[in-house]
Amino acid sequence: MDQKPQPIVQVENLVIGYGDEVILKDISFHIDEGEIFVILGGSGCGKTTLMKHMIGLHRPLSGKILLEGEDLVTADDKKRQLLLNRMGVMYQGGALFGSMTLLENVRLPLEEFTTLPLSAMNLVARQKLKQVGLEPYAHLLPSELSGGMKKRAAIARAMALDPRIIFLDEPSAGLDPITSAELDRLILSLARPFHITFVMVSHELPSIFAIADRVIMLDKQTKTIIAEGSPLELKTHSQNPWVHRFFHREIAASNPS
Amino acid sequence: MTKDSIIVTGSWIGQETLSLVLQGPLTGQTAGVAWKQAGVFMRRKRPQLLIIDASKLASFDEAGVSILADLCRQQRAGDREWKVEGLPPDCQRLLSQYDPHEKPTPPAIRPKFLLPEEIGRVTVHLWEDMKEQIVFMGKLTAALGLVILHPSRLRTKDMLSVMETAGANALPIIALIGFLLGLILAFQAAIPMRTFGAEIFVANLVSLSLLRELGPLITAIILTARTGSAFAAELGTMKVNEEIDALTTMGLDPVRFLVVTRVLGAVMVTPLLTIFANLFGLIGAGVVMLSLGFPLVTYVQQVLMSVHLGDLMGGLFKAFAFGIMVSAVGCQRGLQTQNGASAVGASTTRSVVSGIVWIVIADGLFSVLFYSLGI
Ligand SMILES: Nc1ncnc2c1ncn2[C@@H]1O[C@H](COP(=O)(O)OP(=O)(O)OP(=O)(O)O)[C@@H](O)[C@H]1O
Ligand SMILES: [Mg+2]
């Protein structure tokens, strides 16, 4: 492909927060189609908050977020529904529906938005569970699973409708290195041939270096983006001491706070 | 002295210097004792110089060392001197992690209570809450309309399970309370009626008040307590677990998906439950009448003469309306839940309170309405 891909997500001068409290400000970036885009930052700096704004759950204090050129918050119902069906979301805590088995959880979006017969929906749902290694547990309730299994099931559910863009909040936290590496491979196998966009929050350096095309790094002190680029660029070229420490896993000589 | 208890011995050197010797393990378990013992020596007078001899400490941990740090802090706060001697190096390192300059945490300042401010706050809050309830009722109506137009979009399985838990499973408690109510009502009425020899009219009194008023009312109150609160807790937990967010980002409207099934399920069973409450109330009253010596047939005849179909239907209509309100308000309180497990408890409480308030308001309105319509 020589043609430059369209940005699928565009964020302009965003200010977000809860109530009057500003969590992040002056946020501008864009994500191209088919990219694996990683949001980095210390604990509590607002990564989840940014993601929840990107998927239209909260209204920004000011600024704009465009998904495929449309503002989710102000889009009319039809357009909004279309956009929502083209994205999949995995929440930090999994957010599986507690009253449904894994299979039913993954099947739910199919039931609601496709006209497939039940047997076909079951097939698709099982296939998605297989991809995250959970097929043997399809009949269990979320409360009967471990934390990491819940996460993987949530990823399977996020992928149920074959979305064009998938948001993942810390997918590999709480997974063992092997499962985590398998997850990376799954993401690559979807992103590269099918051009599916991934927006993820992650802390796993090996995984970031293995799959991320581009990362942004948020900072709690300045409440802004302090670095943007490919992981390798940030590791080797960044002047920012915080970024340097993050990528070289160093602790501060003296605590800046 | 046992192996795992601490002993603090203190001696005053002159007027100004106190020396404390700590002997034994200084850990989280023993620190409280050491603290009390040290307090005994310090209570009389604060020393200008406090010398703590730690050379006989058997062991220590972070919690134990914290009381050394606190003693030092107290000395410092009063501009007095202190010295810690014989501290093992590891312990010294732990101690140095505590900042001696740290001020004790001040007690949280409670904002001053101002009546006008409070009244204003509560009023605004009530107003906002009312607006939210109206918006919610609008959304619910729209979603119900949608389901009526496209019945296939109703999640029938969910609705049936709601009908089972809210309806069938509530039957024993409804029957019990209904029976008790009829029994008590009849018994209490029979005593004054007896002086006039008018005991037979107990049947009129009980049947009318049950069918028109009390049957629907207790059914609604039990529904609030059993089902409204369960809805609030269920949806509240889903909110806390981000399940509601997950639905929203799937493009599934929580009101259509979760609330409609629950409200429809509850509404369908409320009139049925009311019929049972009425029936068991009448049975309760019947028991009293039998014990007063009336044959069953007389009682039944009297009941049939005193009530009309309109009384029953009016009551059932009320029950239907109560069912909508109670279940809707339960769901709404659940969806309003803030973050955290305690928020779920708060929404559950709010759902019961609001449910009962709605019942009272609606019952008052129905009384006026039925009166003016002559029902
Ligand atoms: N619902 C909320 N209401 C108010 N403040 C919130 C809320 N949720 C999060 N915050 C605050 O917003 C800030 C950012 O939180 P967020 O969950 O986005 O952090 P994060 O970067 O995802 O952290 P982590 O890596 O630990 O998941 C935190 O300081 C938190 O206290
Ligand atoms: Mg987070």
Side-chain angles (χ1 to χ4, degrees):
Chain A
M1 281 215 189
D2 8 71
Q3 185 192 346
K4 193 180 178 323
Q6 284 282 316
I8 190 165
V9 180
Q10 208 159 358
V11 175
E12 290 165 16
N13 302 321
L14 191 69
V15 181
I16 54 180
Y18 295 100
D20 294 333
E21 194 196 346
V22 173
I23 305 281
L24 290 170
K25 56 180 190 196
D26 296 335
I27 304 290
S28 297
F29 61 88
H30 67 94
I31 302 172
D32 291 326
E33 187 154 10
E35 225 179 357
I36 299 177
F37 186 86
V38 175
I39 301 170
L40 290 175
S43 184
C45 73
K47 303 181 295 294
T48 301
T49 306
L50 175 61
M51 186 137 134
K52 284 194 172 172
H53 280 79
M54 287 167 74
I55 57 182
L57 278 177
H58 301 302
R59 192 178 283 270
L61 298 179
S62 74
K64 254 194 289 194
I65 302 175
L66 303 178
L67 284 182
E68 299 186 356
E70 283 282 336
D71 191 337
L72 257 187
V73 177
T74 56
D76 64 71
D77 280 354
K78 220 168 151 196
K79 184 79 201 171
R80 188 180 143 82
Q81 188 67 54
L82 204 74
L83 283 175
L84 289 178
N85 285 354
R86 293 221 288 222
M87 71 192 213
V89 184
M90 187 215 88
Y91 292 81
Q92 196 165 4
L96 296 169
F97 302 118
S99 58
M100 303 181 185
T101 64
L102 285 198
L103 188 76
E104 286 166 342
N105 261 289
V106 180
R107 203 177 60 196
L108 177 69
L110 298 165
E111 284 173 22
E112 291 291 325
F113 298 112
T114 67
T115 51
L116 291 175
L118 187 67
S119 54
M121 287 194 283
N122 279 338
L123 267 184
V124 177
R126 279 189 181 279
Q127 177 58 27
K128 302 287 173 192
L129 282 172
K130 199 181 204 165
Q131 285 180 338
V132 293
L134 283 180
E135 209 207 352
Y137 308 97
H139 59 285
L140 294 186
L141 288 173
S143 55
E144 296 165 324
L145 299 180
S146 76
M149 286 158 91
K150 277 185 208 163
K151 278 216 150 131
R152 284 187 279 153
I155 295 172
R157 189 182 63 185
M159 298 187 315
L161 288 177
D162 294 321
R164 298 299 306 158
I165 175 164
I166 300 183
F167 294 86
L168 304 171
D169 196 348
E170 305 205 11
S172 41
L175 297 186
D176 62 277
I178 298 173
T179 319
S180 174
E182 273 169 10
L183 188 63
D184 288 348
R185 220 182 49 212
L186 174 67
I187 291 173
L188 282 178
S189 74
L190 289 170
R192 298 301 179 239
F194 300 109
H195 243 57
I196 294 174
T197 314
F198 280 85
V199 182
M200 355 199 295
V201 172
S202 178
H203 294 299
E204 301 287 309
L205 280 180
S207 138
I208 293 168
F209 280 111
I211 63 173
D213 295 316
R214 216 145 50 83
V215 303
I216 56 170
M217 190 148 191
L218 304 174
D219 179 47
K220 196 171 170 63
Q221 249 85 48
T222 58
K223 302 183 177 178
T224 52
I225 297 179
I226 49 170
E228 181 173 356
S230 78
L232 210 61
E233 274 166 27
L234 293 201
K235 180 170 181 172
T236 47
H237 300 312
S238 178
Q239 301 301 313
N240 188 307
W242 211 94
V243 180
H244 186 85
R245 288 211 313 271
F246 190 96
F247 278 96
H248 294 84
R249 294 175 160 252
E250 287 167 1
I251 52 170
S254 67
N255 207 326
S257 67
Chain B
M1 169 186 147
T2 57
K3 215 171 80 219
D4 40 321
S5 67
I6 189 159
I7 293 203
V8 179
T9 43
S11 50
W12 283 89
I13 306 163
Q15 287 296 311
E16 302 294 338
T17 308
L18 175 67
S19 154
L20 291 178
V21 181
L22 278 66
Q23 203 169 1
L26 184 61
T27 61
Q29 278 88 44
T30 63
V33 179
W35 178 246
K36 263 195 214 125
Q37 293 181 5
V40 171
F41 298 107
M42 311 261 290
R43 195 176 304 144
R44 275 170 245 144
K45 191 164 158 251
R46 295 269 159 185
Q48 263 319 312
L49 173 62
L50 177 70
I51 303 173
I52 300 172
D53 181 0
S55 55
K56 297 206 181 82
L57 276 187
S59 62
F60 55 88
D61 65 11
E62 191 150 353
V65 168
S66 71
I67 73 151
L68 292 186
D70 200 43
L71 282 174
C72 298
R73 187 188 54 73
Q74 285 189 12
Q75 287 296 105
R76 190 192 158 76
D79 256 336
R80 293 177 291 256
E81 305 281 306
W82 76 91
K83 207 154 59 178
V84 185
E85 289 172 346
L87 210 56
D90 285 346
C91 191
Q92 180 65 51
R93 190 143 19 84
L94 278 183
L95 186 58
S96 63
Q97 303 226 324
Y98 292 96
D99 181 4
H101 301 273
E102 192 173 295
K103 300 259 180 342
T105 330
I109 309 162
R110 288 177 68 95
K112 228 165 79 191
F113 180 83
L114 286 171
L115 191 63
E117 207 179 293
E118 201 61 22
I119 292 175
R121 207 194 317 275
V122 170
T123 313
V124 169
H125 191 81
L126 277 179
W127 174 241
E128 293 291 323
D129 193 50
M130 203 127 77
K131 275 202 293 197
E132 270 179 51
Q133 297 207 5
I134 291 170
V135 169
F136 180 78
M137 282 294 173
K139 276 190 198 165
L140 178 60
T141 314
L144 278 172
L146 195 78
V147 165
I148 290 169
L149 290 181
H150 310 275
S152 62
R153 300 190 60 180
L154 181 68
R155 296 183 63 84
T156 323
K157 213 178 94 196
D158 293 1
M159 193 180 76
L160 290 178
S161 97
V162 168
M163 287 172 74
E164 188 188 345
T165 45
N169 296 354
L171 202 53
I173 183 80
I174 291 273
L176 181 69
I177 306 248
F179 180 79
L180 201 70
L181 199 72
L183 193 88
I184 294 171
L185 213 58
F187 193 69
Q188 294 296 335
I191 299 166
M193 295 279 211
R194 165 169 281 169
T195 48
F196 304 108
E199 287 133 301
I200 186 64
F201 293 109
V202 167
N204 299 41
L205 187 148
V206 173
S207 54
L208 265 183
S209 45
L210 267 180
L211 262 54
R212 292 185 66 114
E213 194 62 47
L214 292 176
L217 200 64
I218 54 157
T219 310
I221 289 180
I222 291 175
L223 193 77
T224 318
R226 268 189 98 256
T227 307
S229 61
F231 288 172
E234 221 177 330
L235 298 196
T237 312
M238 292 184 75
K239 177 83 186 275
V240 171
N241 289 342
E242 297 180 316
E243 288 173 43
I244 305 276
D245 287 348
L247 275 180
T248 311
T249 44
M250 271 183 203
L252 297 173
D253 176 18
V255 174
R256 177 179 79 74
F257 197 79
L258 299 169
V259 180
V260 166
T261 47
R262 285 177 171 73
V263 170
L264 277 183
V267 161
M268 280 194 231
V269 295
T270 329
L272 293 178
L273 286 176
T274 308
I275 292 179
F276 277 99
N278 292 341
L279 178 66
F280 279 86
L282 290 176
I283 293 176
V287 170
V288 174
M289 294 302 277
L290 288 182
S291 73
L292 290 176
F294 292 99
L296 188 62
V297 62
T298 317
Y299 169 64
V300 173
Q301 275 303 325
Q302 191 69 23
V303 169
L304 288 179
M305 265 178 0
S306 60
V307 296
H308 305 284
L309 190 63
D311 297 321
L312 176 70
M313 288 324 239
L316 293 188
F317 179 72
K318 277 210 280 197
F320 182 78
F322 291 158
I324 296 185
M325 286 172 209
V326 164
S327 52
V329 93
C331 293
Q332 189 222 0
R333 292 307 186 204
L335 290 179
Q336 275 180 340
T337 306
Q338 311 282 315
N339 276 332
S342 63
V344 177
S347 333
T348 313
T349 311
R350 269 154 53 93
S351 78
V352 175
V353 174
S354 317
I356 290 177
V357 169
W358 273 113
I359 292 173
V360 169
I361 294 175
D363 203 27
L365 289 178
F366 276 126
S367 299
V368 176
L369 188 72
F370 285 7
Y371 178 77
S372 48
L373 289 178
I375 300 175

